[in-house]
Amino acid sequence: VVAFVDFPLYNGWKKNHRTIRHVGVNGQADPSSNPSCANTEEDTMNRVPMDCTLVMAQSSIPGNSGWGIFTLQSQAADSVAMDGDVVIQLVDLNEKTARGMRRLVWEYLWDATETGGQYEGQKVSSLIPGFGTLANGAAKGSNLKYMADRKRTNGNLLHAGAGAFTYYQNVTWRYSKQVNAGDELLVNYGKKWFEERGFSNTSIVEQANRSVPYLRQNGYCLDNVIAGKESKQPYAGRGAFAKRNLAEGSIVAPIPVLPLTRESLELVKKAKDGKMIQTYQMMLNYCFGASQSNILLYPYSPIINLINHASDSNSEILSPNVYLRWSPDSNQQSASGTPTRMLLEMVAMRDIKAGEEILLNYGEKWEEAWKAHLQSYDTFQSNRHPSAWDLDKKINILPTVAEQQRSQSANPDIFTSCFYKYEDSVGLQQEQDQGRTVFRWKETSALLSSPRYLRPCLILERIPSQHNLFSYKVQVLNRPGLAKVERIPKASFPHVVTNLPREALVFSDKIYTTDQHLPTAFRHEIGLDVFPKEWMN
């Protein structure tokens, strides 16, 4: 059991505070609320454009449910709610590091097998900003489903940006059923999540909603910013872009944040020369902070983690067009005096055109650190092996174990994985091969899109099939973290499966070999001009 970290309350949030009236599950206003505290029409237009379809507002779930995500339009089942967001992999957390991010660990971390990050370390947890953190949960009756891109969006990079940003991207959220305007969007947390936290069956919400007028008056638009392809900034990876024209002074995005300590992101790694070096989790690059403070703020609004840096320059294309300020809605606090709802607002510095990249000045300290990184960047990476991602793009015909053993150019950091659900093996067709039972692979529902079923395997044989293609016979292995029903008993080894198509097999990187783990990877928090002085060391 780890203790909560207490942070001193920043009293500056009390200035110009605008109270949000409590509204019940069916959108009915609390009679005791003060109508004079409602937002003005100008505030509403500033926060929710008329064509906005998703908003963040106070959750409609009774109790201390914080923020929630709501749709302003009815949506069909299986249509896309949000796509293009990122996943940040947290590696090998321990009691010391978990203590400094207690709330994050307890409420917001995902199983890495859901995101395909299970091979990044011995123990891996995933952070999914946006819908994966902001949306509330339901044990049943959820209306959102998570669709992970089973492959990363980058291989090993040979420039200074290598390992500085996450390669786990293209997260897609779809509606799992028909939703109506005003419905709160709920993710399936699973019954066990609620039981571990002491929720009774009667307290588990199956459906929640608010009135559309309330949401337009009190919400913040969540789809002003969309994920794009390559940023115009060098070495920055992908970027975030304006979905619509945004006027100067308008709120581009709300940015709720969670506090954690700098120590919670510390990592100790072994360098190639055997020396132990201290570095940080990649998550540091996505947090706001100040070099004089031990406190960091993790932002979790949709898509904003793709917003890149730009310094003040003469180039309008690459100059910042947004800035951050504290929202007057950030004043809510718990009985202990610790803020429970901390909210920044990202504001347009000038008129921003639809399709324009959103750029934020990360601060002088960040820019100094980045320039120093460029000057000292180790060029040894030009000799690195291709990553699993690179090989999957290039190699259509996979080598067998015997062929790999004979090869002089085999990559020691790569192995083969396959999508296989051992629990279903009882129902698979079986055949005998030299006195050994061989199972015939069969694609089942969502198998190829579920990273949790990805596991190591050895390719024993390549079998010719139609159209000059091949199927494969493999020996399926176990890996750490598999559910009990998915672990192959020792008595059942070797477990051989045939008829696997190429799409059921992928190359995987061995643990600690991706760019995220480079000892030279850039690490620095994003500077926050309005960082509370009370939180300086």
Side-chain angles (χ1 to χ4, degrees), residues 12 23 56 70 80 102 179 181 194 211-212 216 243 278 303 310 330 345 384-386 425 428 443 509 519:
V23 175
M56 181 188 85
F70 298 82
V80 174
R102 169 67 166 81
V179 296
F194 290 91
S211 70
V212 171
R216 288 200 170 276
K243 180 179 180 179
Q278 180 178 305
I303 309 300
S330 293
E345 294 174 345
R384 297 183 69 207
H385 292 290
S425 62
L428 297 180
E443 183 176 357
D509 298 287

Side-chain angles (χ1 to χ4, degrees), residues 1 3 52 69 101 127-128 166 179 194 345 353 387 409 431 438 461 514:
V1 178
C52 179
I69 301 176
M101 56 172 79
L127 266 177
I128 308 179
T166 178
V179 296
F194 290 91
E345 294 174 345
K353 296 180 181 179
S387 70
S409 59
E431 57 190 60
V438 176
E461 185 179 346
T514 64

Side-chain angles (χ1 to χ4, degrees), residues 71 73-81 138-146 173-181 183-188 205-209:
T71 177
Q73 297 178 357
S74 296
Q75 303 287 352
D78 208 43
S79 59
V80 174
K140 51 184 178 179
S142 62
N143 49 26
L144 279 178
K145 57 183 178 180
Y146 168 79
W173 293 90
R174 292 182 179 272
Y175 296 104
S176 57
K177 63 182 180 181
Q178 167 79 31
V179 296
N180 299 315
D183 281 354
E184 182 167 355
L185 305 187
L186 303 174
V187 177
N188 184 1
V205 175
E206 294 187 35
Q207 186 174 359
N209 56 67

